[in-house]
């Protein structure tokens, strides 16, 4: 359940980021990716339990969603928005990098155990890296939203300042 929530949460983050930058599009392909992800997870949980296959599936799901988020933030955002979304795009790019490394390492090494609670230092370090990346992502999202709010406040302030200075009543006062 937790892995499905992580990948689904990243998809919802992608939808929010797309709304933030004004790039809405049909998401049928992502719903299919989520359905495939869930099907594979359920297969390797109940039919043929395999922790390494589930880890690989999670890494692939995170890679697909992170890649879309990074591409949206770094390349599809309008020029004026791109400065705000740059840090978010970089955070998602690092998620992509970590996922690619995890995929290659998981494919290269032989699974040591099928019990998640008996995994080694590699998995522990990887989870810590993901947690640090989530903190970085949260921080960068907060900065992005604050920058947009400040921009909107400055635009409103400029509009009211012009209106006040051009008003005949202000001249009279």
């Amino acid at each position: 359940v937790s892995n499905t929530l992580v990948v689904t949460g990243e998809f919802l983050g992608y939808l929010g980021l797309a709304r933030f930058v004004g790039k809405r599009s049909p998401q049928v392909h992502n719903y299919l990716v989520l359905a495939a992800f869930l099907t594979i997870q359920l297969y390797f949980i109940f039919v043929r339990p395999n922790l390494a296959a589930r880890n690989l599936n999670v890494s692939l799901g995170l890679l697909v969603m992170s890649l879309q988020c990074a591409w949206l933030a770094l390349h599809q955002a309008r020029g004026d928005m791109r400065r705000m979304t740059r840090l978010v795009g970089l955070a998602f790019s690092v998620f992509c990098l970590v996922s690619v490394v995890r995929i290659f390492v998981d494919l290269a090494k032989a699974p040591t155990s099928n019990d998640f609670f008996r995994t080694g230092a590699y998995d522990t370090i990887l989870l810590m890296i993901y947690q640090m990346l989530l903190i970085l992502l949260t921080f960068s999202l907060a900065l992005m939203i604050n920058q947009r709010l400040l921009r909107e406040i400055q635009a409103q302030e400029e509009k009211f300042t012009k209106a006040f200075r051009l008003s005949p009543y202000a001249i009279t006062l």
Side-chain angles (χ1 to χ4, degrees):
V1 172
S2 64
N3 291 333
T4 304
L5 290 175
V6 167
V7 175
T8 304
E10 192 157 4
F11 170 61
L12 293 174
Y14 172 75
L15 292 177
L17 187 60
R19 179 178 237 174
F20 184 84
V21 299
K23 295 279 186 180
R24 294 187 188 171
S25 63
Q27 296 298 319
V28 175
H29 63 286
N30 281 328
Y31 289 116
L32 292 174
V33 167
L34 285 175
F37 171 81
L38 182 59
T39 303
I40 293 168
Q41 282 295 99
L42 291 173
Y43 177 77
F44 285 115
I45 290 172
F46 296 114
V47 177
R48 194 169 144 220
N50 188 337
L51 180 62
R54 289 194 315 258
N55 285 341
L56 186 63
N57 190 37
V58 169
S59 297
L60 284 170
L62 287 174
L63 178 63
V64 168
M65 295 299 169
S66 296
L67 195 58
Q68 291 181 68
C69 291
W71 184 259
L72 176 67
L74 295 174
H75 296 289
Q76 288 186 323
R78 294 186 321 262
D80 59 331
M81 294 287 278
R82 201 170 291 154
R83 182 181 297 161
M84 283 188 280
T85 61
R86 184 177 299 138
L87 188 57
V88 172
L90 291 175
F92 278 117
S93 297
V94 175
F95 263 108
C96 290
L97 180 66
V98 171
S99 293
V100 167
V101 168
R102 185 177 187 191
I103 289 168
F104 282 123
V105 170
D106 284 348
L107 289 174
K109 75 172 187 150
T112 55
S113 171
N114 207 26
D115 184 8
F116 186 73
F117 295 107
R118 296 185 192 271
T119 55
Y122 163 73
D123 290 315
T124 303
I125 291 170
L126 198 63
L127 287 174
M128 289 173 51
I129 290 171
Y130 275 127
Q131 291 300 316
M132 289 188 289
L133 286 173
L134 283 172
I135 292 168
L136 173 67
L137 180 62
T138 303
F139 181 71
S140 62
L141 285 169
L143 284 176
M144 180 182 74
I145 292 169
N146 284 338
Q147 288 175 355
R148 182 169 179 177
L149 289 174
L150 283 173
R151 182 184 291 175
E152 289 175 3
I153 288 171
Q154 289 170 347
Q156 290 294 325
E157 184 179 305
E158 186 178 307
K159 180 175 79 173
F160 286 119
T161 301
K162 284 181 184 178
F164 180 76
R165 289 189 179 147
L166 296 176
S167 171
Y169 299 115
I171 295 171
T172 306
L173 289 175

